Amino acid sequence: ELFELVKSAGADPVLSVTQNLQKIEKGTFVGTGKLAEIAEICESQEIDLLVFDSELSPTQIKNIEAETDVRVIDRTTLILDIFAQRARSKEGKLQVELAQLKYMSRLGGGIGTRGPGETKLETDRRHIRRRIESLKEELSDLEKHRQMLRSRRKKDGVITCAIVGYTNAGKSTLMNCLTDAGVLAQDKLFATLDPTSRALKLP
């Protein structure tokens, strides 16, 4: 699945490296020997990006990047990047930005630097907090509008249903078949993000 996620993000997955550990290494996620092996592979294969199929701490990202000299992201960052590429509606874009900022603030929370960098870090955190509040307000207004439309449909006696399923299961394809919705349907994970409503007259 991680290979498919990487492809969906527009990157070319080259190979995977696995390690069975009883306990995650606090500083580097993988063992030191395995990390040295990964660094060697990155150099010989000219790897541009390492994607870990788990969540990494800021310290782990920093240490792995220092050892491999390659940019490192975790699974959540990868998925949020795909979401950012795919979101089309205003609400979708706001939701993705909010999720990215919340995740960034979680990552930034563990840096704990002292000295000259501290002021910039605090400024960044304040900026992120302000933007999060602003996005929440915008999303709240959009939710009120959505609630109004929902109430109107209920008042008019419109029966509603939802197509539910895992990513890339064929929900958009099914909707297009039923309603000629014209929704993007591709063999990619998270190809369609934005909710779409269409009318269907039953026989």
mmCIF file of all heavy atoms in Angstrom, residues 141-175:
data_model
loop_
_atom_site.group_PDB
_atom_site.id
_atom_site.type_symbol
_atom_site.label_atom_id
_atom_site.label_comp_id
_atom_site.label_asym_id
_atom_site.label_seq_id
_atom_site.Cartn_x
_atom_site.Cartn_y
_atom_site.Cartn_z
ATOM 1 N N ASP A 141 -18.230 28.344 9.204
ATOM 2 C CA ASP A 141 -19.195 29.056 8.346
ATOM 3 C C ASP A 141 -19.679 28.153 7.213
ATOM 4 O O ASP A 141 -20.867 28.139 6.885
ATOM 5 C CB ASP A 141 -18.554 30.325 7.754
ATOM 6 C CG ASP A 141 -18.301 31.393 8.816
ATOM 7 O OD1 ASP A 141 -18.942 31.320 9.885
ATOM 8 O OD2 ASP A 141 -17.463 32.284 8.578
ATOM 9 N N LEU A 142 -18.748 27.413 6.614
ATOM 10 C CA LEU A 142 -19.113 26.502 5.524
ATOM 11 C C LEU A 142 -20.001 25.369 6.032
ATOM 12 O O LEU A 142 -20.927 24.932 5.340
ATOM 13 C CB LEU A 142 -17.850 25.910 4.878
ATOM 14 C CG LEU A 142 -17.041 26.863 3.991
ATOM 15 C CD1 LEU A 142 -15.676 26.273 3.664
ATOM 16 C CD2 LEU A 142 -17.788 27.168 2.693
ATOM 17 N N GLU A 143 -19.738 24.914 7.262
ATOM 18 C CA GLU A 143 -20.551 23.850 7.866
ATOM 19 C C GLU A 143 -21.983 24.340 8.105
ATOM 20 O O GLU A 143 -22.951 23.591 7.905
ATOM 21 C CB GLU A 143 -19.914 23.381 9.179
ATOM 22 C CG GLU A 143 -20.696 22.316 9.936
ATOM 23 C CD GLU A 143 -21.022 21.076 9.120
ATOM 24 O OE1 GLU A 143 -20.212 20.670 8.269
ATOM 25 O OE2 GLU A 143 -22.127 20.519 9.333
ATOM 26 N N LYS A 144 -22.128 25.623 8.508
ATOM 27 C CA LYS A 144 -23.476 26.199 8.710
ATOM 28 C C LYS A 144 -24.247 26.195 7.396
ATOM 29 O O LYS A 144 -25.440 25.883 7.351
ATOM 30 C CB LYS A 144 -23.361 27.622 9.254
ATOM 31 C CG LYS A 144 -23.014 27.686 10.733
ATOM 32 C CD LYS A 144 -22.766 29.118 11.163
ATOM 33 C CE LYS A 144 -22.108 29.159 12.544
ATOM 34 N NZ LYS A 144 -21.581 30.497 12.867
ATOM 35 N N HIS A 145 -23.551 26.543 6.302
ATOM 36 C CA HIS A 145 -24.180 26.558 4.974
ATOM 37 C C HIS A 145 -24.586 25.135 4.571
ATOM 38 O O HIS A 145 -25.687 24.920 4.058
ATOM 39 C CB HIS A 145 -23.200 27.149 3.949
ATOM 40 C CG HIS A 145 -23.728 27.144 2.550
ATOM 41 N ND1 HIS A 145 -24.785 27.950 2.156
ATOM 42 C CD2 HIS A 145 -23.365 26.420 1.450
ATOM 43 C CE1 HIS A 145 -25.048 27.729 0.874
ATOM 44 N NE2 HIS A 145 -24.196 26.797 0.425
ATOM 45 N N ARG A 146 -23.701 24.180 4.831
ATOM 46 C CA ARG A 146 -23.991 22.778 4.507
ATOM 47 C C ARG A 146 -25.198 22.279 5.322
ATOM 48 O O ARG A 146 -26.036 21.544 4.818
ATOM 49 C CB ARG A 146 -22.756 21.920 4.804
ATOM 50 C CG ARG A 146 -22.863 20.498 4.288
ATOM 51 C CD ARG A 146 -21.662 19.678 4.746
ATOM 52 N NE ARG A 146 -20.470 20.031 4.017
ATOM 53 C CZ ARG A 146 -20.137 19.505 2.836
ATOM 54 N NH1 ARG A 146 -20.937 18.624 2.271
ATOM 55 N NH2 ARG A 146 -19.024 19.853 2.235
ATOM 56 N N GLN A 147 -25.263 22.691 6.586
ATOM 57 C CA GLN A 147 -26.372 22.304 7.467
ATOM 58 C C GLN A 147 -27.697 22.862 6.950
ATOM 59 O O GLN A 147 -28.738 22.200 7.023
ATOM 60 C CB GLN A 147 -26.093 22.818 8.888
ATOM 61 C CG GLN A 147 -27.020 22.272 9.968
ATOM 62 C CD GLN A 147 -26.915 20.765 10.125
ATOM 63 O OE1 GLN A 147 -25.843 20.212 10.207
ATOM 64 N NE2 GLN A 147 -28.044 20.086 10.132
ATOM 65 N N MET A 148 -27.643 24.096 6.398
ATOM 66 C CA MET A 148 -28.838 24.732 5.833
ATOM 67 C C MET A 148 -29.369 23.915 4.654
ATOM 68 O O MET A 148 -30.571 23.659 4.534
ATOM 69 C CB MET A 148 -28.486 26.152 5.354
ATOM 70 C CG MET A 148 -29.397 27.231 5.894
ATOM 71 S SD MET A 148 -28.719 28.870 5.570
ATOM 72 C CE MET A 148 -28.465 28.877 3.822
ATOM 73 N N LEU A 149 -28.453 23.512 3.767
ATOM 74 C CA LEU A 149 -28.833 22.705 2.599
ATOM 75 C C LEU A 149 -29.401 21.357 3.040
ATOM 76 O O LEU A 149 -30.374 20.855 2.467
ATOM 77 C CB LEU A 149 -27.612 22.476 1.690
ATOM 78 C CG LEU A 149 -27.024 23.710 1.002
ATOM 79 C CD1 LEU A 149 -25.743 23.355 0.265
ATOM 80 C CD2 LEU A 149 -28.018 24.331 0.024
ATOM 81 N N ARG A 150 -28.793 20.787 4.088
ATOM 82 C CA ARG A 150 -29.261 19.498 4.627
ATOM 83 C C ARG A 150 -30.686 19.619 5.163
ATOM 84 O O ARG A 150 -31.532 18.764 4.912
ATOM 85 C CB ARG A 150 -28.300 19.068 5.746
ATOM 86 C CG ARG A 150 -28.284 17.566 6.004
ATOM 87 C CD ARG A 150 -27.255 17.186 7.048
ATOM 88 N NE ARG A 150 -25.902 17.249 6.545
ATOM 89 C CZ ARG A 150 -24.879 17.854 7.157
ATOM 90 N NH1 ARG A 150 -25.057 18.446 8.320
ATOM 91 N NH2 ARG A 150 -23.683 17.859 6.626
ATOM 92 N N SER A 151 -30.928 20.710 5.885
ATOM 93 C CA SER A 151 -32.265 20.951 6.454
ATOM 94 C C SER A 151 -33.302 21.137 5.354
ATOM 95 O O SER A 151 -34.434 20.648 5.466
ATOM 96 C CB SER A 151 -32.253 22.198 7.341
ATOM 97 O OG SER A 151 -31.352 22.033 8.402
ATOM 98 N N ARG A 152 -32.901 21.832 4.281
ATOM 99 C CA ARG A 152 -33.817 22.070 3.164
ATOM 100 C C ARG A 152 -34.192 20.749 2.482
ATOM 101 O O ARG A 152 -35.346 20.521 2.159
ATOM 102 C CB ARG A 152 -33.171 23.021 2.143
ATOM 103 C CG ARG A 152 -34.176 23.552 1.107
ATOM 104 C CD ARG A 152 -33.512 24.475 0.110
ATOM 105 N NE ARG A 152 -32.918 25.627 0.761
ATOM 106 C CZ ARG A 152 -31.973 26.381 0.196
ATOM 107 N NH1 ARG A 152 -31.500 26.087 -0.993
ATOM 108 N NH2 ARG A 152 -31.488 27.429 0.832
ATOM 109 N N ARG A 153 -33.181 19.879 2.299
ATOM 110 C CA ARG A 153 -33.460 18.580 1.672
ATOM 111 C C ARG A 153 -34.418 17.754 2.539
ATOM 112 O O ARG A 153 -35.321 17.101 2.039
ATOM 113 C CB ARG A 153 -32.146 17.801 1.469
ATOM 114 C CG ARG A 153 -31.331 18.268 0.287
ATOM 115 C CD ARG A 153 -30.293 17.240 -0.123
ATOM 116 N NE ARG A 153 -29.324 16.954 0.926
ATOM 117 C CZ ARG A 153 -28.145 17.573 1.037
ATOM 118 N NH1 ARG A 153 -27.794 18.508 0.181
ATOM 119 N NH2 ARG A 153 -27.317 17.250 2.007
ATOM 120 N N LYS A 154 -34.192 17.826 3.858
ATOM 121 C CA LYS A 154 -35.040 17.081 4.788
ATOM 122 C C LYS A 154 -36.478 17.597 4.734
ATOM 123 O O LYS A 154 -37.436 16.827 4.720
ATOM 124 C CB LYS A 154 -34.468 17.230 6.206
ATOM 125 C CG LYS A 154 -34.980 16.193 7.190
ATOM 126 C CD LYS A 154 -34.247 16.293 8.511
ATOM 127 C CE LYS A 154 -34.762 15.266 9.508
ATOM 128 N NZ LYS A 154 -34.083 15.377 10.805
ATOM 129 N N LYS A 155 -36.605 18.933 4.681
ATOM 130 C CA LYS A 155 -37.923 19.577 4.635
ATOM 131 C C LYS A 155 -38.667 19.203 3.360
ATOM 132 O O LYS A 155 -39.877 18.998 3.357
ATOM 133 C CB LYS A 155 -37.731 21.096 4.711
ATOM 134 C CG LYS A 155 -39.016 21.881 4.889
ATOM 135 C CD LYS A 155 -38.727 23.368 4.928
ATOM 136 C CE LYS A 155 -40.001 24.167 4.906
ATOM 137 N NZ LYS A 155 -39.733 25.628 4.802
ATOM 138 N N ASP A 156 -37.886 19.098 2.256
ATOM 139 C CA ASP A 156 -38.489 18.753 0.959
ATOM 140 C C ASP A 156 -38.738 17.249 0.815
ATOM 141 O O ASP A 156 -39.230 16.801 -0.224
ATOM 142 C CB ASP A 156 -37.581 19.221 -0.193
ATOM 143 C CG ASP A 156 -37.494 20.744 -0.262
ATOM 144 O OD1 ASP A 156 -38.362 21.405 0.338
ATOM 145 O OD2 ASP A 156 -36.567 21.263 -0.917
ATOM 146 N N GLY A 157 -38.374 16.490 1.838
ATOM 147 C CA GLY A 157 -38.611 15.046 1.810
ATOM 148 C C GLY A 157 -37.677 14.275 0.900
ATOM 149 O O GLY A 157 -38.003 13.178 0.436
ATOM 150 N N VAL A 158 -36.507 14.840 0.633
ATOM 151 C CA VAL A 158 -35.532 14.170 -0.229
ATOM 152 C C VAL A 158 -34.845 13.041 0.556
ATOM 153 O O VAL A 158 -34.349 13.259 1.657
ATOM 154 C CB VAL A 158 -34.462 15.172 -0.751
ATOM 155 C CG1 VAL A 158 -33.388 14.446 -1.562
ATOM 156 C CG2 VAL A 158 -35.113 16.256 -1.592
ATOM 157 N N ILE A 159 -34.845 11.851 -0.021
ATOM 158 C CA ILE A 159 -34.166 10.720 0.615
ATOM 159 C C ILE A 159 -32.685 10.776 0.214
ATOM 160 O O ILE A 159 -32.365 10.899 -0.962
ATOM 161 C CB ILE A 159 -34.781 9.378 0.173
ATOM 162 C CG1 ILE A 159 -36.241 9.305 0.639
ATOM 163 C CG2 ILE A 159 -33.985 8.194 0.722
ATOM 164 C CD1 ILE A 159 -37.029 8.185 0.011
ATOM 165 N N THR A 160 -31.814 10.721 1.200
ATOM 166 C CA THR A 160 -30.379 10.796 0.890
ATOM 167 C C THR A 160 -29.682 9.490 1.275
ATOM 168 O O THR A 160 -30.107 8.800 2.199
ATOM 169 C CB THR A 160 -29.700 11.959 1.651
ATOM 170 O OG1 THR A 160 -29.903 11.778 3.055
ATOM 171 C CG2 THR A 160 -30.244 13.301 1.216
ATOM 172 N N CYS A 161 -28.626 9.187 0.536
ATOM 173 C CA CYS A 161 -27.804 8.030 0.881
ATOM 174 C C CYS A 161 -26.349 8.367 0.560
ATOM 175 O O CYS A 161 -26.072 9.350 -0.129
ATOM 176 C CB CYS A 161 -28.252 6.784 0.114
ATOM 177 S SG CYS A 161 -27.832 6.839 -1.630
ATOM 178 N N ALA A 162 -25.430 7.573 1.077
ATOM 179 C CA ALA A 162 -24.005 7.813 0.846
ATOM 180 C C ALA A 162 -23.351 6.539 0.327
ATOM 181 O O ALA A 162 -23.759 5.433 0.682
ATOM 182 C CB ALA A 162 -23.327 8.250 2.143
ATOM 183 N N ILE A 163 -22.344 6.719 -0.539
ATOM 184 C CA ILE A 163 -21.532 5.588 -0.984
ATOM 185 C C ILE A 163 -20.298 5.562 -0.096
ATOM 186 O O ILE A 163 -19.556 6.540 -0.031
ATOM 187 C CB ILE A 163 -21.122 5.745 -2.467
ATOM 188 C CG1 ILE A 163 -22.369 5.835 -3.349
ATOM 189 C CG2 ILE A 163 -20.240 4.571 -2.904
ATOM 190 C CD1 ILE A 163 -22.079 6.182 -4.791
ATOM 191 N N VAL A 164 -20.108 4.455 0.616
ATOM 192 C CA VAL A 164 -19.028 4.365 1.585
ATOM 193 C C VAL A 164 -18.098 3.210 1.225
ATOM 194 O O VAL A 164 -18.556 2.139 0.833
ATOM 195 C CB VAL A 164 -19.599 4.124 3.014
ATOM 196 C CG1 VAL A 164 -18.487 4.054 4.042
ATOM 197 C CG2 VAL A 164 -20.588 5.220 3.377
ATOM 198 N N GLY A 165 -16.788 3.440 1.350
ATOM 199 C CA GLY A 165 -15.848 2.364 1.075
ATOM 200 C C GLY A 165 -14.421 2.850 1.220
ATOM 201 O O GLY A 165 -14.164 4.053 1.338
ATOM 202 N N TYR A 166 -13.487 1.902 1.186
ATOM 203 C CA TYR A 166 -12.074 2.225 1.340
ATOM 204 C C TYR A 166 -11.581 3.000 0.120
ATOM 205 O O TYR A 166 -12.213 2.986 -0.935
ATOM 206 C CB TYR A 166 -11.271 0.920 1.517
ATOM 207 C CG TYR A 166 -9.868 1.141 2.043
ATOM 208 C CD1 TYR A 166 -9.646 1.706 3.292
ATOM 209 C CD2 TYR A 166 -8.760 0.796 1.270
ATOM 210 C CE1 TYR A 166 -8.366 1.907 3.771
ATOM 211 C CE2 TYR A 166 -7.472 0.986 1.741
ATOM 212 C CZ TYR A 166 -7.284 1.550 2.989
ATOM 213 O OH TYR A 166 -6.011 1.758 3.462
ATOM 214 N N THR A 167 -10.445 3.678 0.259
ATOM 215 C CA THR A 167 -9.889 4.427 -0.864
ATOM 216 C C THR A 167 -9.602 3.487 -2.047
ATOM 217 O O THR A 167 -9.144 2.363 -1.857
ATOM 218 C CB THR A 167 -8.604 5.187 -0.454
ATOM 219 O OG1 THR A 167 -8.071 5.848 -1.607
ATOM 220 C CG2 THR A 167 -7.526 4.261 0.104
ATOM 221 N N ASN A 168 -9.916 3.968 -3.242
ATOM 222 C CA ASN A 168 -9.674 3.236 -4.499
ATOM 223 C C ASN A 168 -10.521 1.963 -4.607
ATOM 224 O O ASN A 168 -10.137 0.997 -5.271
ATOM 225 C CB ASN A 168 -8.185 2.888 -4.646
ATOM 226 C CG ASN A 168 -7.779 2.706 -6.104
ATOM 227 O OD1 ASN A 168 -8.371 3.320 -6.993
ATOM 228 N ND2 ASN A 168 -6.801 1.879 -6.365
ATOM 229 N N ALA A 169 -11.685 1.966 -3.949
ATOM 230 C CA ALA A 169 -12.567 0.792 -4.008
ATOM 231 C C ALA A 169 -13.537 0.869 -5.185
ATOM 232 O O ALA A 169 -14.162 -0.129 -5.543
ATOM 233 C CB ALA A 169 -13.348 0.664 -2.698
ATOM 234 N N GLY A 170 -13.680 2.076 -5.780
ATOM 235 C CA GLY A 170 -14.580 2.245 -6.930
ATOM 236 C C GLY A 170 -15.812 3.080 -6.637
ATOM 237 O O GLY A 170 -16.804 3.022 -7.364
ATOM 238 N N LYS A 171 -15.790 3.887 -5.576
ATOM 239 C CA LYS A 171 -16.953 4.708 -5.199
ATOM 240 C C LYS A 171 -17.294 5.729 -6.286
ATOM 241 O O LYS A 171 -18.452 5.887 -6.663
ATOM 242 C CB LYS A 171 -16.684 5.435 -3.865
ATOM 243 C CG LYS A 171 -16.435 4.501 -2.689
ATOM 244 C CD LYS A 171 -16.231 5.254 -1.378
ATOM 245 C CE LYS A 171 -14.990 6.128 -1.371
ATOM 246 N NZ LYS A 171 -13.728 5.348 -1.495
ATOM 247 N N SER A 172 -16.267 6.422 -6.796
ATOM 248 C CA SER A 172 -16.497 7.441 -7.837
ATOM 249 C C SER A 172 -17.000 6.804 -9.126
ATOM 250 O O SER A 172 -17.897 7.337 -9.791
ATOM 251 C CB SER A 172 -15.211 8.227 -8.114
ATOM 252 O OG SER A 172 -14.786 8.911 -6.955
ATOM 253 N N THR A 173 -16.445 5.648 -9.482
ATOM 254 C CA THR A 173 -16.869 4.917 -10.685
ATOM 255 C C THR A 173 -18.338 4.530 -10.562
ATOM 256 O O THR A 173 -19.124 4.689 -11.512
ATOM 257 C CB THR A 173 -16.003 3.652 -10.882
ATOM 258 O OG1 THR A 173 -14.634 4.055 -10.988
ATOM 259 C CG2 THR A 173 -16.395 2.891 -12.130
ATOM 260 N N LEU A 174 -18.732 4.038 -9.371
ATOM 261 C CA LEU A 174 -20.124 3.656 -9.131
ATOM 262 C C LEU A 174 -21.045 4.869 -9.248
ATOM 263 O O LEU A 174 -22.101 4.810 -9.886
ATOM 264 C CB LEU A 174 -20.259 3.004 -7.748
ATOM 265 C CG LEU A 174 -21.680 2.628 -7.299
ATOM 266 C CD1 LEU A 174 -22.319 1.631 -8.258
ATOM 267 C CD2 LEU A 174 -21.654 2.058 -5.884
ATOM 268 N N MET A 175 -20.621 5.985 -8.646
ATOM 269 C CA MET A 175 -21.443 7.200 -8.694
ATOM 270 C C MET A 175 -21.613 7.693 -10.134
ATOM 271 O O MET A 175 -22.700 8.116 -10.529
ATOM 272 C CB MET A 175 -20.810 8.294 -7.832
ATOM 273 C CG MET A 175 -21.706 9.510 -7.699
ATOM 274 S SD MET A 175 -21.178 10.574 -6.361
ATOM 275 C CE MET A 175 -22.542 11.718 -6.312
#
